[in-house]
Amino acid sequence: MRSSNIGGQAVMEGIMMRHKDKYSIAVRRPDKEIELKTEDYKCLFGNAKIWRKPIIRGVVSFVESLVVGTKCLMYSAEIAGDEEDEEEAAKNAALTEEELAAKKAKEDKQFKWLLYVTVAVSIVVSVAAFMLLPYVLASFCKKAGASEVVVTIVEAFVKMALFMGYMLLISRMNDIQRTFMYHGAEHKCINCVESGKPLTVENVMASSRQHRRCGTSFLFLVMLVSIFLHFIFVLVPFYWARLFGRLLMVPVVSGVSFELIQWAGRTDSKLACILSKPGLAMQKLTTKEPTADMVEVAIKAVEAVFDWRAYLKEEFGVEVPPEEQKEA
C-alpha cells in the first residue's frame, strides 16, 4: 500500500492539511460554521534540485514546517477568536476602498514580520532548551571527576527528561486539550484513508489516532538521533568547541531524523515498527479522542487538497460515489 503522502497539524479550533503543492486550513468559527482556506505551497528555498537531496530535504522540511505551521496557527487564532466588534466594524465602514486596501497591506506586512520573529524565537528557544542546556547541566558532573563519555551519557538522560517533562506538562494544560483533540482527528483521517475506508465521520471516528509520520514521533527521533551523534564530540578536547559543535549538528540531526521517519512511514518491517514505537507511545500524550464535529472539520481540510476517492480506487480497488462522502 502506497502512502497517501498527506500530512498536517492541529491548529486553533481546526486542522491544517498538506498534500503535494497545496495546503488547506479548516477552522470552526464561533458561529459553528467551518471556515476553509486553500493556498498553494511554495518552497521557501526555491526549486533547485539540491533542496531535494537526502538529509538536506529534511532540514528544508523542518524549517518550512515551522513557518507554514506558525502561519496557520496565527490564522486559525484569528478566525476562531471573537468576531469583529462593532467599533472596529464602524471604523472599517468609514474607510474608502483605497484606505481599506492600505490598511490590509499594512496588517499583512506586520503579520509577516510577526511570523518570522515567532519562528526565529521558536528555533532559538528549542535549540537552547533541548540541544545545549542538557550538555551544560551534564557538564557539572566534571566537578565530580566524570569523563566526557559519562557527561555525554548523563546529557542523554537530562535531554530525555526535559523532553518528556515538557510533553507531560503541556498535555495537562486545559487550554491545549482541544488542540490535541484536533490532532487526533487529523491522524484519524489519514489512517482512515490509508486503511482503505471511505472518509466519513463514522469511519474516521473508528480509526486509530496514532500515526508513524506524526510530528511528535519526529521530535522523539530528533532526541534519539542527537544523543547518538553527540558522542562524536567525546574526542573534542575543548568545552566551547563541544558546545558549538552541538549547535552546528542541529541541521544534520533534523535531516537524519526526517529520513528515518519517512522510511518508517513507508515500510512495515520489524525494524521500522520498533523504531516507531516510542513515538507512537508519545502520541498518547499529544493526541486525544476528537468529537464528531472536530472530525467534520478535519474531513473538510483533507478533501480540499486530496482526492481520497481516486486514492482508494487506485490502491484498494474501492469505488466510492460522491454522495457517500457525507455522514447521514
Side-chain angles (χ1 to χ4, degrees):
M1 185 268 294
R2 180 171 57 88
S3 168
S4 63
N5 289 321
I6 54 175
Q9 72 171 57
V11 295
M12 291 287 290
E13 291 299 323
I15 299 285
M16 181 275 282
M17 281 288 186
R18 177 189 163 193
H19 182 247
K20 294 183 177 178
D21 59 352
K22 287 189 177 295
Y23 70 92
S24 64
I25 316 166
V27 182
R28 182 75 70 178
R29 297 178 59 89
D31 61 6
K32 304 305 178 184
E33 294 298 316
I34 298 175
E35 181 87 9
L36 182 65
K37 179 181 180 181
T38 304
E39 291 191 357
D40 292 331
Y41 175 82
K42 297 179 181 179
C43 181
L44 296 173
F45 297 86
N47 297 316
K49 290 183 178 180
I50 189 172
W51 304 124
R52 297 191 291 273
K53 297 293 183 181
I55 308 298
I56 296 176
R57 63 189 175 190
V59 180
V60 171
S61 177
F62 175 68
V63 174
E64 290 191 328
S65 293
L66 275 176
V67 174
V68 174
T70 304
K71 180 181 178 181
C72 292
L73 271 172
M74 294 167 67
Y75 170 79
S76 67
E78 180 183 341
I79 298 299
D82 294 332
E83 298 180 33
E84 184 179 56
D85 58 39
E86 294 182 6
E87 184 180 348
E88 185 67 19
K91 287 181 179 179
N92 288 336
L95 298 175
T96 64
E97 288 187 10
E98 290 79 8
E99 289 172 331
L100 278 173
K103 181 182 178 182
K104 187 178 185 304
K106 182 180 179 181
E107 290 174 346
D108 288 344
K109 186 177 181 179
Q110 291 174 338
F111 179 88
K112 186 176 290 186
W113 274 106
L114 181 60
L115 171 65
Y116 291 141
V117 170
T118 302
V119 170
V121 171
S122 298
I123 292 175
V124 170
V125 172
S126 299
V127 170
F130 299 111
M131 292 296 171
L132 302 182
L133 181 60
Y135 180 67
V136 172
L137 294 177
S139 294
F140 285 108
C141 293
K142 283 278 191 177
K143 294 181 179 181
S147 66
E148 190 59 34
V149 172
V150 172
V151 168
T152 306
I153 292 173
V154 173
E155 176 194 7
F157 283 101
V158 172
K159 183 177 296 184
M160 293 308 298
L162 287 173
F163 180 68
M164 294 292 293
Y166 170 75
M167 287 296 181
L168 284 169
L169 180 63
I170 64 171
S171 70
R172 294 180 179 276
M173 295 171 62
N174 291 331
D175 291 344
I176 209 163
Q177 291 300 311
R178 287 185 63 81
T179 303
F180 283 173
M181 292 170 75
Y182 275 107
H183 190 193
E186 175 224 330
H187 285 188
K188 281 174 172 282
C189 276
I190 298 173
N191 282 324
C192 177
V193 170
E194 292 186 343
S195 62
K197 298 175 183 176
L199 199 61
T200 64
V201 173
E202 183 181 19
N203 288 341
V204 172
M205 291 290 285
S207 299
S208 171
R209 71 174 198 260
Q210 296 172 307
H211 197 277
R212 288 184 185 178
R213 297 194 307 272
C214 173
T216 304
S217 296
F218 172 75
L219 291 176
F220 194 86
L221 272 177
V222 166
M223 294 296 107
L224 291 181
V225 170
S226 67
I227 287 170
F228 284 103
L229 291 183
H230 286 177
F231 272 96
I232 294 172
F233 300 109
V234 168
L235 301 176
V236 177
F238 306 109
Y239 172 82
W240 289 107
R242 292 192 295 269
L243 191 64
F244 189 63
R246 282 164 167 76
L247 183 61
L248 294 179
M249 189 67 77
V250 170
V252 178
V253 169
S254 62
V256 171
S257 301
F258 177 84
E259 298 300 330
L260 286 174
I261 200 167
Q262 289 295 307
W263 169 75
R266 293 192 301 264
T267 179
D268 291 321
S269 68
K270 287 185 177 180
L271 181 58
C273 290
I274 293 172
L275 188 66
S276 300
K277 279 186 177 180
L280 293 174
M282 288 294 295
Q283 289 176 40
K284 292 180 179 179
L285 294 176
T286 61
T287 63
K288 303 294 180 185
E289 286 296 326
T291 58
D293 65 318
M294 291 178 173
V295 168
E296 289 175 359
V297 175
I299 290 175
K300 284 280 188 182
V302 172
E303 291 182 330
V305 295
F306 181 68
D307 187 348
W308 58 268
R309 289 180 183 78
Y311 172 81
L312 292 186
K313 183 177 180 180
E314 181 181 347
E315 294 297 320
F316 300 93
V318 176
E319 292 196 41
V320 184
E323 60 268 17
E324 286 192 28
Q325 85 175 73
K326 293 184 178 180
E327 265 300 276

